Amino acid sequence: MTSQNVYILAIESSCDDTAAAVMHNGKILSNIVASQKIHEDYGGVVPELASRAHQQNIVPVVAQALKEAQIEMSQLHAIAFTRGPGLMGSLLVGTSFAKSLAYGLDIPLIDVNHMQAHILAHFIEEDDFKKPPFPFLAMTISGGHTQIVKVTSYFDMEVIGETIDDAVGEAFDKSGKILGLGYPAGPEIDKRAKLGNPKAYTFTKPRVDGLNFSFSGLKTAILYFIQKEVKANPNFIETHLNDICASIQYTIIGILMDKLKLASKQTGIKHIAIGGGVSANSGIREALKSGEQKFGWTTYIPKFEYTTDNAAMIAIVGYLKYLEGHYSDQSVMASARLKL
Ligand code: KG4
Ligand code: ZN
């Protein structure tokens, strides 16, 4: 098989999105995501419901990805899938499906680490998007993850900082829940923050050593603050919602930027890449851009559909592993706590 003409089908099912993508030599031909709306009613992902929805969605999503790519299954060279980390019940659906398909087609099976995929999403071939040079720092921020990773090559990555409790997306979503906003609240907080005063209210930043993060204390501080203010003025939230959102967002961005600055200083690396759903946040994007002027950084943000959970990012890792001959055995198992 020549490495010049490689078609990969990738499957992602680690959390609440069922996704499939087809890649040809590093370029995306199709990228399908079925988001599970069912969790909105519960204010967060319900694992049992997520795995059931994956079970329902996986066949139509894969069929759609092949159709949009105009590819027959017989043209595929390998099946890549998310092995972990994630919710076990969700991972099992994608893992079992990928194994069966690779076995049936008699083509290589390639397991992919979801966190590595968020980072290597920067290497999907796209016009108008520059790729970070090695070494670079990658900050992965989403509803499930908050990490700073030193990336020395495609397959040499070191986690140098991560959250010790909640992920940053949870800080947005749980704050939103306290304010009575829908789930996920990140985009709504972002929208309202643009209309409010970021310095209206002050929330203490957590003190965590080194490059690690903590967000659970912030959530509690916001809860107590809101309870106190609402006691004095039952309309406090409605009348000050934009200022509250702006202040929460300002605090969260401050926490992220402090650690990123420290990571850059400690490693001497000024190429900074971000990924994960929270990288859609307009305030974070602005703060990164200002880092370009202030600290001489070059920053990298992938195309939006490659930052939230998707299978295109699984496909690029699958492709890079395929070129190296890094295949998986049929005995490979999903791993909820898979490390980088
Ligand atoms: O990567 P993602 O789609 O799924 C995982 O959690 O893995 O990220 C979803 C998270 C949610 O917590 C959501 O509130 C947050 O990303 N999010 C945002 C914004 N857009 C999405 N947070 C802040 N500002 C946004 N604009
Ligand atoms: Zn993710």
Side-chain angles (χ1 to χ4, degrees):
M1 196 62 53
T2 141
S3 61
Q4 298 311 305
N5 194 28
V6 179
Y7 289 97
I8 307 274
L9 170 69
I11 290 158
E12 151 68 33
S13 72
S14 64
C15 189
D16 60 335
D17 295 310
T18 318
V22 177
M23 173 169 272
H24 178 227
N25 291 354
K27 278 198 165 184
I28 286 298
L29 300 181
S30 64
N31 184 29
I32 310 295
V33 183
S35 297
Q36 303 177 2
K37 297 276 170 236
I38 187 154
H39 307 287
E40 286 173 11
D41 298 342
Y42 297 88
V45 176
V46 185
E48 176 69 20
L49 296 179
S51 53
R52 288 176 193 216
H54 284 305
Q55 189 99 272
Q56 275 181 331
N57 292 341
I58 192 137
V59 169
V61 164
V62 167
Q64 185 66 17
L66 291 166
K67 190 174 161 205
E68 275 192 24
Q70 299 185 315
I71 290 295
E72 301 291 330
M73 281 208 192
S74 57
Q75 289 172 271
L76 293 172
H77 294 90
I79 311 290
F81 72 99
T82 305
R83 181 180 172 212
L87 302 171
M88 189 43 123
S90 293
L91 291 165
L92 282 174
V93 178
T95 303
S96 306
F97 186 91
K99 278 190 184 191
S100 315
L101 196 55
Y103 187 71
L105 294 171
D106 196 20
I107 56 176
L109 174 70
I110 300 174
D111 70 276
V112 173
N113 180 307
H114 181 91
M115 298 310 299
Q116 188 179 31
H118 269 301
I119 294 168
L120 296 182
H122 289 272
F123 295 92
I124 296 171
E125 294 293 341
E126 278 288 334
D127 302 335
D128 307 330
F129 281 81
K130 54 186 194 295
K131 295 176 188 162
F134 299 112
F136 65 91
L137 294 179
M139 184 168 74
T140 312
I141 43 179
S142 79
H145 351 282
T146 309
Q147 284 190 333
I148 301 179
V149 181
K150 183 179 162 193
V151 187
T152 309
S153 72
Y154 293 138
F155 303 114
D156 185 359
M157 301 185 180
E158 184 195 351
V159 180
I160 56 173
E162 62 189 330
T163 184
I164 57 169
D165 42 54
D166 289 351
V168 59
E170 285 179 281
F172 275 103
D173 297 337
K174 290 179 179 175
S175 306
K177 200 168 177 179
I178 295 167
L179 299 172
L181 303 178
Y183 173 85
E188 176 77 11
I189 291 178
D190 189 5
K191 212 167 81 191
R192 289 185 171 276
K194 287 182 196 147
L195 308 170
N197 173 8
K199 297 196 175 152
Y201 310 106
T202 309
F203 301 106
T204 317
K205 285 190 208 161
R207 263 190 238 113
V208 189
D209 284 345
L211 298 174
N212 284 342
F213 300 89
S214 166
F215 288 100
S216 70
L218 177 65
K219 172 192 65 194
T220 314
I222 292 167
L223 177 67
Y224 290 162
F225 166 76
I226 294 292
Q227 281 175 343
K228 188 176 111 240
E229 295 294 334
V230 168
K231 217 172 178 181
N233 168 14
N235 297 322
F236 177 74
I237 295 178
E238 295 92 274
T239 40
H240 298 92
L241 191 51
N242 292 343
D243 284 349
I244 303 169
C245 288
S247 301
I248 292 172
Q249 180 161 308
Y250 181 77
T251 310
I252 293 175
I253 294 171
I255 296 169
L256 294 176
M257 292 303 289
D258 284 353
K259 297 294 177 165
L260 205 46
K261 275 188 271 182
L262 187 60
S264 173
K265 205 168 144 200
Q266 282 184 0
T267 58
I269 297 172
K270 287 174 185 279
H271 290 279
I272 316 272
I274 62 166
V278 179
S279 56
N281 185 271
S282 60
I284 289 169
R285 286 173 177 239
E286 263 170 41
L288 280 175
K289 281 282 157 224
S290 76
E292 298 204 332
Q293 277 113 45
K294 279 198 227 158
F295 315 119
W297 291 354
T298 310
T299 60
Y300 305 82
I301 306 176
K303 208 172 164 184
F304 180 72
E305 54 261 48
Y306 305 149
T307 64
T308 55
D309 283 353
N310 67 88
M313 68 183 194
I314 307 302
I316 187 68
V317 185
Y319 176 64
L320 294 168
K321 282 186 144 184
Y322 182 87
L323 297 182
E324 298 289 322
H326 291 174
Y327 305 153
S328 321
D329 195 83
Q330 273 286 338
S331 63
V332 66
M333 294 204 296
S335 170
R337 296 185 173 273
L338 190 64
K339 296 265 178 243
L340 250 186

